[in-house]
């Protein structure tokens, strides 16, 4: 296919701005993207014409424009995460014969967005649209473990902010220890914290910056799994597939 360098430069510029916490000077854009100054200003002028970037003349800086917001809103409306992950989750459930779910982090809760039931398996509390305290679920622990420590501290500043159940962390310090264990193992576990007699294992789905987008989990009756690796291997393959479909790096 013929190359379109101008389009590539524009996309790199937008991606760069999307990763910044505040607008930046044009000179910084040119330097960090290794673009000629003249090219940078031409790109900015064209993108500003279509509202993809905004110029702040008083600050002499550039940031994302309203059209970029509209793109992000359209992306969310199309539910790409659910659409791309659902077939992967269906295959995971078929392979393991256990219930599977995809959840996202919403404040201190997890929100279940995809549920796949395995025939003959116990009914679950979780379902599409259900919220549960993140600290009580394997999905929540997997995503919290992928967050920066300061963000976890902001979410759980004191004991009153931690919703505890049987076997789940009851204090911020206990939560921190559990998240260290999750990172060390590479996966999150819960047993009886959501439903007595059921256990779950989960892995986080990360975006391009390493932030948690979601978590994929399998729930199984306690004692029904002889070796956790029989679930972890297909779970890892599923998460890798979702990463690839989303254009995120595999973990």
């Amino acid at each position: 296919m013929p190359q379109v360098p101008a389009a590539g430069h524009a996309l790199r510029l937008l991606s760069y701005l999307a990763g910044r916490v505040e607008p930046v000077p044009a000179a910084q854009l040119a330097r960090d993207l290794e673009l000629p100054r003249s090219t940078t200003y031409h790109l900015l002028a064209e993108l500003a014409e279509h509202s993809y970037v905004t110029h702040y003349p008083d600050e002499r800086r550039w940031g994302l424009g309203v059209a970029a917001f509209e793109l992000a809103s359209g992306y969310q409306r199309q539910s790409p995460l659910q659409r791309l992950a659902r077939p992967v989750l269906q295959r995971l459930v078929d392979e393991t014969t256990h219930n599977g779910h995809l959840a996202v982090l919403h404040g201190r809760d997890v929100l279940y967005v995809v549920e796949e039931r395995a025939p003959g398996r116990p009914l679950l509390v979780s379902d599409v649209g259900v919220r549960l305290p993140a600290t009580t679920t394997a999905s929540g622990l997997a995503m919290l473990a992928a967050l920066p420590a300061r963000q976890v501290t902001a979410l759980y500043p004191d004991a009153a902010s931690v919703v505890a159940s049987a076997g789940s962390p009851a204090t911020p310090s206990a939560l921190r220890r559990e998240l260290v264990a999750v990172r060390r193992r590479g996966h999150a576990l819960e047993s009886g914290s959501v439903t007595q007699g059921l256990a779950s294992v989960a892995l986080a789905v990360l975006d391009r910056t390493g932030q948690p987008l979601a978590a994929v989990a399998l729930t199984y009756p306690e004692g029904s799994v002889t070796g956790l690796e029989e679930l972890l291997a297909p779970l890892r393959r599923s998460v890798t597939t979702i990463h690839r479909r989303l254009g995120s790096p595999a973990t």
Side-chain angles (χ1 to χ4, degrees):
M1 292 180 63
Q3 294 184 346
V4 188
H9 294 330
L11 292 172
R12 287 176 58 219
L13 189 152
L14 289 173
S15 296
Y16 179 91
L17 289 176
R20 311 298 296 185
V21 297
E22 59 183 28
V24 299
Q28 182 177 336
L29 280 166
R31 182 181 66 249
D32 291 352
L33 295 175
E34 298 181 342
L35 292 173
R37 280 190 159 216
S38 59
T39 299
T40 302
Y41 280 107
H42 285 141
L43 285 172
L44 288 170
E46 185 67 19
L47 290 169
E49 178 70 21
H50 296 280
S51 300
Y52 283 98
V53 300
T54 297
H55 185 219
Y56 299 91
D58 294 339
E59 303 176 47
R60 297 183 179 179
R61 290 171 179 262
W62 295 82
L64 290 177
V66 68
F69 173 77
E70 290 168 352
L71 274 182
S73 299
Y75 179 86
Q76 291 298 326
R77 284 194 300 273
Q78 293 178 15
S79 303
L81 179 61
Q82 293 96 309
R83 287 174 180 268
L84 293 171
R86 185 174 288 108
V88 180
L89 205 62
Q90 289 170 343
R91 290 193 291 271
L92 175 64
V93 169
D94 288 342
E95 180 179 356
T96 63
T97 71
H98 292 293
N99 293 316
H101 6 265
L102 182 80
V104 297
L105 197 60
H106 196 276
R108 296 175 187 162
D109 294 336
V110 293
L111 173 65
Y112 292 90
V113 295
V114 178
E115 283 287 329
E116 289 296 328
R117 308 298 198 198
R121 291 302 181 184
L123 294 176
L124 303 178
V125 173
S126 60
D127 204 348
V128 174
V130 169
R131 298 172 187 265
L132 291 175
T135 55
T136 67
T137 69
S139 296
L141 292 171
M143 289 184 281
L144 290 173
L147 290 177
R150 63 182 180 277
Q151 192 167 347
V152 175
T153 299
L155 283 170
Y156 301 98
D158 50 42
S161 62
V162 182
V163 177
S165 63
S168 71
T171 64
S173 58
L175 176 60
R176 287 193 295 271
R177 289 193 296 271
E178 180 60 26
L179 298 183
V180 169
V182 171
R183 287 189 286 269
R184 184 175 63 247
R185 290 193 304 262
H187 58 270
L189 297 167
E190 69 85 13
S191 184
S193 297
V194 177
T195 302
Q196 187 174 4
L198 297 181
S200 297
V201 57
L203 293 177
V205 176
L206 307 179
D207 67 14
R208 296 175 66 88
T209 68
Q211 293 293 301
L213 273 176
V216 180
L218 287 168
T219 297
Y220 52 93
E222 291 174 338
S224 66
V225 176
T226 55
L228 198 57
E229 189 59 31
E230 68 184 76
L231 298 185
L232 281 171
L235 193 58
R236 291 191 195 102
R237 289 195 297 271
S238 298
V239 169
T240 297
T241 299
I242 295 171
H243 279 142
R244 186 171 63 249
R245 288 184 166 206
L246 292 170
S248 301
T251 55

